[in-house]
Amino acid sequence: MSIPAELKYAKSHEWIRLEADGTATIGITQHAQELLGDMVFVELPEVGRSLALEEDCAVVESVKAASDIYAPISGEVVAVNEEVESSPEKVNEDCYSAWLFKLKPANTAEIDALLDASGYEELLASEAD
Amino acid sequence: MLKTTALNATHRALQAKMVDFGGWDMPLHYGSQLDEHHAVRRDAGMFDVSHMLSVDLHGEQARQFLRTLVANNIDKSTVPGKALYTCMLNPTGGIIDDLIIYFLSESWFRLVVNAGTADKDLDWIAQQSKQYAPELTITPRRDLAMIAVQGPNARAKVWQIIPDCKADTEELKPFQSVTHGDYFIARTGYTGEDGFEITLPADQAVDFWQKLHAVGVVPAGLGARDTLRLEAGMNLYGQDMDETINPFEAGLGWTVDLKSERDFIGKSALLAKTVNQQLVGLVLLDKGVLRNHQKIITQQTENAGEGEITSGGFSPTLNQSIALARVPLGVAVGEQVYVEVRNKQLAAKIVKYPFVRNGKVLV
């Protein structure tokens, strides 16, 4: 299971990468995409929308099921990945480059509260029990 | 403790994603449900369907009993090997199960019933036989495995590995079967493609599966089985029908024989009942995926209420979402309707199903 060390993780299986410009890029983890299976539809939030912490803001649908995506931190949506909207299978191919949306964080303290790679690995181990 | 088929270790060795399917430990997919789906539409795939149960009825009372037990007319089966698709109804006309009955001889009929309903079916059949056919022998065949080989090249691949069966099965028409040594080979299936469903002794299943695999038949899981059968417009028990739904409401009126004089269980209820609903196909016009139980708003909704999706999903062949849905009578093919998806109303079109048959898109 690939859990890149440089990323942060939410318990709801999103990954977050802090960019040099202060924005945060968000996608779903390898565990999440494997669980969902072949991705066929992605619905992303509108640019400009303000998201509260843990607000459901996007949907990824696989052949099997629909799954809500939650905002791992609060903030304003500054970009969405139109490429995954037209080719949802990119999430299966490489979930860490096929990001979903970018946020301008409203509260940096929320970022510190996220899991690091080892914390996320422990979470997966506990969920597997 | 989950039940397992003879192929359980084989699925695991292929690194299948296993799921609990009605108490059975079954493969959902072997990596990609989409790839498996396309393999069946374009070439050949195989499914372990050993969780379904063959039930043999032996005895001189068999045909007479089936005249009473099921809604379709077993007297249509006059040639040995003929398969008949039918519903088994309760006294109120609700569907206990849908099944295939193979006519093998006047004293031997084989029923193939769904996995999830097998125990219930056996109880029901035993109970009815006490009244209508006390001398009948009812034998559940858990000693048999079942492998469905489906796709445009499915039959040719089977002939590659059991070459001497070609002569026996080449002329077999759809919905006919033949016994070839230990193999019971039926030209039936659940995918809308050509192919065979092959019943064989469980201890031969692994060897047969591996031979099929060696000639390029792709292992396919329950995930692909579901998207294929949805595209083929075939009903799934527990979703598109159950004991509260009668065959007319489930789009299975064509399997009900009301013409003959014979009385079957549920017939009087069907004759007395007013049918208000019908099963239709839906193609989603907007982006998204239709799912089971979503509500449908139609032009009839104000008077006759909402419709409901019974089987919704993504169609890999159409590359858009499709569904089977129960809607009020009067909703017509071509009509645009709206489906409630997460607080939004998405546009969809009523179509005649099947959506795909023999690899061709029909909608």
Side-chain angles (χ1 to χ4, degrees), chain A:
Chain A
M1 180 68 63
S2 166
I3 306 175
E6 68 278 16
L7 303 179
K8 292 277 205 172
Y9 299 88
K11 286 179 183 163
S12 45
H13 307 291
E14 293 87 7
W15 59 259
I16 302 96
R17 185 174 64 225
L18 272 183
E19 308 292 354
D21 64 1
T23 61
T25 304
I26 288 145
I28 66 168
T29 65
Q30 189 182 343
H31 170 77
Q33 70 84 14
E34 278 181 13
L35 209 64
L36 285 162
D38 295 307
M39 221 61 81
V40 293
F41 177 67
V42 176
E43 188 180 323
L44 299 175
E46 274 176 37
V47 172
R49 178 173 157 191
S50 278
L51 301 177
L53 179 65
E54 294 176 358
E55 180 177 347
D56 61 292
C57 59
V59 181
V60 292
E61 299 214 34
S62 66
V63 182
K64 203 168 89 186
S67 183
D68 289 327
I69 302 299
Y70 302 92
I73 54 173
S74 59
E76 184 191 325
V77 179
V78 292
V80 296
N81 190 351
E82 287 166 6
E83 207 183 352
V84 301
E85 281 182 312
S86 53
S87 306
E89 68 278 6
K90 288 192 185 298
V91 176
N92 295 115
E93 287 160 11
D94 185 355
C95 62
Y96 295 111
S97 63
W99 56 279
L100 300 181
F101 56 94
K102 289 177 191 281
L103 286 180
K104 189 175 154 197
N107 178 359
T108 49
E110 289 168 357
I111 298 167
D112 300 332
L114 293 164
L115 299 169
D116 61 12
S118 64
Y120 184 61
E121 199 172 351
E122 279 172 35
L123 175 82
L124 292 187
S126 70
E127 285 188 353
D129 286 342

Side-chain angles (χ1 to χ4, degrees), chain B residues 317-353:
Chain B
T317 305
L318 276 71
N319 199 30
Q320 66 189 126
S321 188
I322 59 171
L324 293 175
R326 201 169 295 123
V327 297
L329 285 185
V331 175
V333 168
E335 186 176 325
Q336 185 170 318
V337 299
Y338 292 91
V339 185
E340 286 187 1
V341 181
R342 288 186 296 275
N343 305 324
K344 274 191 256 176
Q345 291 197 347
L346 303 185
K349 189 175 75 176
I350 303 281
V351 298
K352 196 166 178 287
Y353 59 85

Side-chain angles (χ1 to χ4, degrees), chain B residues 103-265:
Chain B
F103 165 45
L104 300 175
S105 77
E106 277 308 327
S107 60
W108 180 17
F109 289 77
R110 173 170 288 170
L111 281 49
V112 178
V113 304
N114 281 300
T117 48
D119 292 340
K120 176 183 83 167
D121 292 357
L122 280 174
D123 286 349
W124 175 257
I125 294 166
Q127 192 189 324
Q128 299 312 312
S129 75
K130 271 185 211 162
Q131 184 181 346
Y132 296 107
E135 283 156 38
L136 199 66
T137 309
I138 302 162
T139 314
R141 299 295 306 272
R142 281 287 171 221
D143 56 318
L144 299 176
M146 215 184 301
I147 296 171
V149 191
Q150 303 275 294
N153 300 326
R155 295 194 307 150
K157 299 220 177 199
V158 170
W159 293 331
Q160 256 180 281
I161 59 164
I162 21 176
D164 64 338
C165 88
K166 187 175 176 182
D168 279 355
T169 56
E170 200 169 19
E171 299 299 316
L172 213 58
K173 293 191 175 70
F175 258 68
Q176 284 188 349
S177 67
V178 70
T179 301
H180 178 84
D182 284 342
Y183 298 98
F184 175 68
I185 303 173
R187 198 169 170 196
T188 49
Y190 199 46
T191 60
E193 297 298 327
D194 200 357
F196 290 134
E197 290 182 303
I198 299 171
T199 307
L200 70 169
D203 58 8
Q204 296 180 26
V206 171
D207 180 59
F208 184 58
W209 178 276
Q210 283 169 345
K211 282 181 179 153
L212 287 167
H213 202 185
V215 296
V217 181
V218 173
L222 292 174
R225 189 166 163 83
D226 195 51
T227 46
L228 288 158
R229 73 93 196 162
L230 176 58
E231 288 183 351
M234 292 174 181
N235 292 41
L236 175 61
Y237 194 83
Q239 272 181 214
D240 305 300
M241 58 184 149
D242 57 38
E243 290 198 33
T244 68
I245 302 295
N246 71 50
F248 295 102
E249 296 162 332
L252 296 175
W254 62 276
T255 70
V256 178
D257 156 50
L258 295 174
K259 285 186 198 136
S260 69
E261 291 292 305
R262 88 197 157 93
D263 193 16
F264 59 86
I265 298 165

